[in-house]
Amino acid sequence: MLGPSGLTLDVPTLRTAFAGRFLIFTGNAFKLTFGFYVITDRLGYSPTEAVSLVFTATLVFTCGSLVTATVGGWLSDRLGRRKIFVLVASLIMGVGLLTLGFTTTYPQYLVGSLILGMGTGAYMAVDIALVVRVLPNPDNAAKVLAVFQIANSLPQSLAPLIAPLFLTIGGADDNYPAAFTAALVFAVLGALTVIPIRKVR
């Protein structure tokens, strides 16, 4: 079945799009779950100090996200391109995650939060448009998009379960570089899933 711009609308493609979003949000969930502990365990701030520092980092993340969501969405519509924006945004998110995992100072943590926010904003603005274009049945769009919401929420429960596998590498329980490197891998794998979504002649 063909959709707008000749994009193939098939169930395998839809599954690939779901898997990509799931992987991306799994990587992103590492920051949501362990950002506070990076500040306390790795950077040495007290829990009381970390509360305000997390708030500031979240504000930086949000500002970066708002800017790239607006600009990225506009550029994607203007150029009529989706895949390249999703791919690049996913890779930017991976760079942000890696920066957070290897940070040694709070300013570096803020830079990582900004990069991650910029990638997330651009991703969120364009990925949903890509998903809509690979729906096997546009008449069931609301139902399918509701299922896609699972790819956003489930990783938030999954990340705390799998992260200890990486945090304990080396015998300790605070190997955040390893954990966030794993988050980078999830982001890259998620980015690569957009490649099979192709136009047909």
Side-chain angles (χ1 to χ4, degrees), residues 68-190:
T68 55
T70 303
V71 176
W74 178 81
L75 277 176
S76 178
D77 288 338
R78 183 84 172 178
L79 300 175
R81 304 288 299 274
R82 308 295 184 202
K83 284 174 52 176
I84 187 62
F85 281 90
V86 172
L87 180 62
V88 171
S90 301
L91 295 177
I92 291 173
M93 292 168 68
V95 172
L97 289 166
L98 197 64
T99 303
L100 289 171
F102 282 86
T103 185
T104 56
T105 66
Y106 183 66
Q108 290 177 2
Y109 187 90
L110 291 180
V111 171
S113 297
L114 178 62
I115 296 172
L116 182 60
M118 293 173 66
T120 302
Y123 178 86
M124 293 297 292
V126 181
D127 183 65
I128 192 64
L130 182 63
V131 169
V132 168
R133 297 186 119 189
V134 298
L135 293 177
N137 184 357
D139 294 334
N140 292 331
K143 182 190 300 184
V144 176
L145 290 177
V147 174
F148 259 80
Q149 182 61 28
I150 297 174
N152 298 1
S153 56
L154 183 59
Q156 297 178 34
S157 300
L158 181 63
L161 296 177
I162 64 175
L165 298 174
F166 307 103
L167 288 171
T168 55
I169 292 176
D173 60 356
D174 59 352
N175 194 341
Y176 294 106
F180 279 84
T181 298
L184 166 68
V185 172
F186 285 123
V188 171
L189 292 175

Side-chain angles (χ1 to χ4, degrees), residues 15-26:
R15 289 172 180 165
T16 299
F18 180 93
R21 176 168 279 234
F22 182 85
L23 289 166
I24 288 293
F25 277 87
T26 297

Side-chain angles (χ1 to χ4, degrees), residues 14-92:
L14 188 62
R15 289 172 180 165
T16 299
F18 180 93
R21 176 168 279 234
F22 182 85
L23 289 166
I24 288 293
F25 277 87
T26 297
N28 221 341
F30 276 63
K31 192 266 184 184
L32 296 174
T33 304
F34 296 106
F36 179 89
Y37 300 106
V38 169
I39 292 176
T40 55
D41 297 347
R42 187 166 174 82
L43 301 186
Y45 291 94
S46 69
T48 302
E49 293 172 315
V51 171
S52 61
L53 295 177
V54 167
F55 174 80
T56 301
T58 302
L59 186 62
V60 170
F61 172 95
T62 303
C63 289
S65 180
L66 288 174
V67 171
T68 55
T70 303
V71 176
W74 178 81
L75 277 176
S76 178
D77 288 338
R78 183 84 172 178
L79 300 175
R81 304 288 299 274
R82 308 295 184 202
K83 284 174 52 176
I84 187 62
F85 281 90
V86 172
L87 180 62
V88 171
S90 301
L91 295 177
I92 291 173

Side-chain angles (χ1 to χ4, degrees), residues 2 4-8 79-83 133 194-201:
L2 298 181
S5 301
L7 281 169
T8 55
L79 300 175
R81 304 288 299 274
R82 308 295 184 202
K83 284 174 52 176
R133 297 186 119 189
V194 304
I195 295 176
I197 302 176
R198 65 187 186 280
K199 292 182 179 180
V200 297
R201 296 183 184 277

